[in-house]
Amino acid sequence: MGDAKRHDDAVTAELRLPITGDCQLDEAVLRWLSWDKNVHTRAELLALLAWPHVDELRSRLSSRLTFGTAGLRAPMGAGFNRINDLTIIQATQGLCAYLLRCVPDTAHRGVVVGFDARGRRESGCSSERLAALTAAVMLSRDVRVHLFSSYIPTPYVPFGVLELGAAAGVMITASHNPKEDNGYKVYWCNGAQIASPHDKGILKSMEEHLEPWSASCWDVQLVHTSPLRTDPLSHVDRRYLDQLASLCFHRQINSSCPLKFVHSSFHGVGHVFVRQAFQAFGFPPPIPVPEQKDPDPDFPSVRCPNPEEGESVLELALLLAEKEKARVVLATDPDADRLAVAETCDRCEGQVVVTEPGKGAWSGHRCRWKVFSGNELAALLGWWMLFSWKETHDDPADLQHVYMLATTVSSKILQALARVEGFHFEETLPGFKWIGNRIHELTGSGKTVLFAFEESIGFLCGALLPDKDGVSAAAVVAEMAAYLHHRKLSLQQQLHNIYLTYGHHVSTSSYVICNDAATVHKIFARIRDFDGRGSYPDTCGGVRIVHVRDVTTGYDSSQPDCRSVLPVSRSGHMITFTLHNGVVATLRTSGTEPKIKYYSELCATPGISDVCCLEAELKQVTDALVEEFLQPERNKLIRRIV
């Protein structure tokens, strides 16, 4: 203790630090400056001290990163709850120690490390540098590292973990988050994202290994000099494309298809990899959006790098498609694990088109476009994967071993398919980590997982890997569109056919932004003690609520014992309401961004075709859900820009 104090005193004297007046904060500042060796983040923190910006210092140094639905994510910059060199070293030390304790032969099996193209010059943080630091920590403990030599799509890391038999995988990415953010996504040896108990175990291990172990942990040159480092890029690339071919069922139709496709990679890594996937399916390459083809961490041509936002961020792709007379637009997010799809509407005139706010029909310069929601794409892809599987499996009894999965906030359309067709459908908690781990369990017991999805445009066709994959989904959507075109059908027409057969599923999803954690807690506390009555609300928009499920507390009024069937998850808030009119609505906090998300769906039985009436009923309940339960004006919530 005395040595540590003398060291802190020496740092204070050398830097002539101002005193913040908060002993705990001063201690955190000294600890940061004594550990951090990145000149950019040190300068950033010293600039905050110079004023001093006490509140900003406290926000950066008084808490640590925790695992959300997609790993660690935060803005890049100085501080213990930011993404930077030091916090990545701390995370990797915790992961390394935990792996050496829990996974047999970790040192020999090694860890797969990948990165996207993100970076922030002000903090000296780039995904490539953070990946090199991740590798350096592992190498300092003589753990083999399979570090990709160039940026890759996120799906290559879980695929690589399985292909190489690695102990774990790490992907440096913040996916579709704002340009200021970065992240650290961890995959277990089964290829799935870590879930409980490993996430908690790794966090505990991080707390035990906060101080950098040695100078080697900062030595990014180790990745060039250590014999324990390998580059898996060519091997994983080749094996991924070999296995991707198993999802191609109509190569001859693909090769002669007159349809043109436009692809946007949203200034991310997807261009090269989607191009390869198209070629593996027998297609010519899609037409790239030139302004968005190459990686650029500033994402200059989009207001946010998230294709889920719909037509407002797809404008360049849609305009190019009109110019090139392309009927289908595909957009992968910056790390290419998610996929958005749009199609021209001129073949669907006179047909009711199911839309979602901010995601529906878009009128451009000459054409009208239908931007599919994640739920609508899932209906199409679920139908397509089942249709393709049945073409090669004659015995209906085989369906007893077939599964499809979805997160609980996603559409129930797969459940409707399963009810009619005879395969199994299961729901998981939000986040593909839950789907991935369930896929591992099912395939390990000899089951076939044909398709899985989350409504936020995350899809997995087949079981190439236990995580969402925008690259393979892009090729599968292209083949489905080509096949339907061969049958004189559009994607929209086939979606309409699916709803006629299995029942219309009208859904909507959106969010409000709340940057104050205390306000979020207050909102959900009020819902659990609605208007001071000690219970949940009993109506929404005048419609009676018949069941409430709260996975944060483990309560579910639909169960005889009132215990939730889904696992309890206290990492965030999530409450689901089932209404008397059949609407199912969920409020939940995002695991990656300061958002409260809301989802609602109304499922009709086959034969009901008055979609306008269904949409109006759903809108009424959804509007009430937001206004009555979230109270945006009173709580100063920022509504989504459409």
Side-chain angles (χ1 to χ4, degrees), residues 26 36 39 116 186 250 308 460 473 481 487 531 568 588 630:
D26 285 345
D36 184 27
V39 294
D116 67 8
V186 181
H250 300 281
E308 189 188 357
L460 176 62
R487 300 285 297 272
D531 292 337
V568 175
R588 65 175 279 258
L630 299 184

Side-chain angles (χ1 to χ4, degrees), residues 383-509:
W383 163 80
W384 175 252
M385 293 304 296
L386 180 64
F387 171 77
S388 301
W389 182 88
K390 287 168 72 174
E391 281 195 319
T392 57
H393 294 77
D394 297 328
D395 188 353
D398 291 345
L399 281 167
Q400 288 299 311
H401 304 288
V402 171
Y403 283 73
M404 292 194 191
L405 308 176
T407 59
T408 189
V409 296
S410 301
S411 173
K412 313 304 179 193
I413 185 62
L414 297 186
Q415 186 177 57
L417 266 74
R419 196 179 297 122
V420 173
E421 301 292 345
F423 63 87
H424 296 275
F425 169 74
E426 289 188 7
E427 284 188 334
T428 71
L429 286 172
F432 234 91
K433 65 182 181 182
W434 301 103
I435 288 178
N437 281 285
R438 184 57 180 148
I439 287 173
H440 172 71
E441 294 170 357
L442 289 169
T443 55
S445 62
K447 309 302 182 186
T448 298
V449 178
L450 280 186
F451 178 65
F453 87 103
E454 57 185 5
E455 58 78 38
S456 53
I457 60 172
F459 311 105
L460 176 62
C461 300
L464 271 84
L465 53 112
D467 202 11
K468 55 184 177 288
D469 182 358
V471 176
S472 62
V476 172
V477 166
E479 179 171 77
M480 175 171 56
Y483 178 85
L484 290 170
H485 183 79
H486 183 69
R487 300 285 297 272
K488 297 183 168 41
L489 289 168
S490 68
L491 293 171
Q492 292 158 85
Q493 288 169 328
Q494 181 55 29
L495 179 63
H496 185 65
N497 293 336
I498 291 168
Y499 286 152
L500 287 177
T501 304
Y502 302 102
H504 280 280
H505 286 58
V506 183
S507 61
T508 187
S509 63

Side-chain angles (χ1 to χ4, degrees), residues 54 57 101 157 167 176 291 367 412 428 435 482 566 575 578 598:
V54 176
L57 286 166
R101 242 185 359 253
V157 169
H176 57 280
E291 300 93 335
C367 304
K412 313 304 179 193
T428 71
I435 288 178
L566 287 174
I575 304 176
T578 302
Y598 55 91

